[in-house]
Amino acid sequence: MAGFEEGPWQTNRELLARLRSEYPEKYPSLLLRTLQRRVKMGRKEKAHEMVFGTTLSAATFQAMTE
């Protein structure tokens, strides 16, 4: 998510407001909860990558194949 990468400190409402200003027909205000879930997953993935040096999905895949 480009908005998250550019400003990870922004709140979900700020990210949605920016998306809505850039693409008003594509992002209605009803998407706030969906955005919150996806940002949460993205932040979790980024934190895992920073701590363990690998993405969460790669670590999950490796654990499943061992």
Side-chain angles (χ1 to χ4, degrees):
M1 172 179 290
F4 175 70
E5 294 292 328
E6 293 171 6
W9 61 88
Q10 292 181 322
T11 66
N12 294 316
R13 289 186 190 276
E14 291 170 335
L15 289 171
L16 182 58
R18 194 167 87 203
L19 286 170
R20 290 189 71 216
S21 69
E22 293 176 20
Y23 310 100
E25 68 286 344
K26 193 172 182 181
Y27 295 99
S29 59
L30 298 173
L31 291 178
L32 179 60
R33 183 64 188 126
T34 301
L35 178 67
Q36 289 170 335
R37 285 191 295 270
R38 290 187 180 169
V39 168
K40 182 179 179 179
M41 290 187 309
R43 287 182 174 151
K44 182 178 180 180
E45 180 88 18
K46 193 66 170 173
H48 190 278
E49 184 179 342
M50 290 171 62
V51 172
F52 297 108
T54 182
T55 61
L56 188 56
S57 54
T60 304
F61 178 75
Q62 183 179 11
M64 289 172 53
T65 58
E66 292 179 346

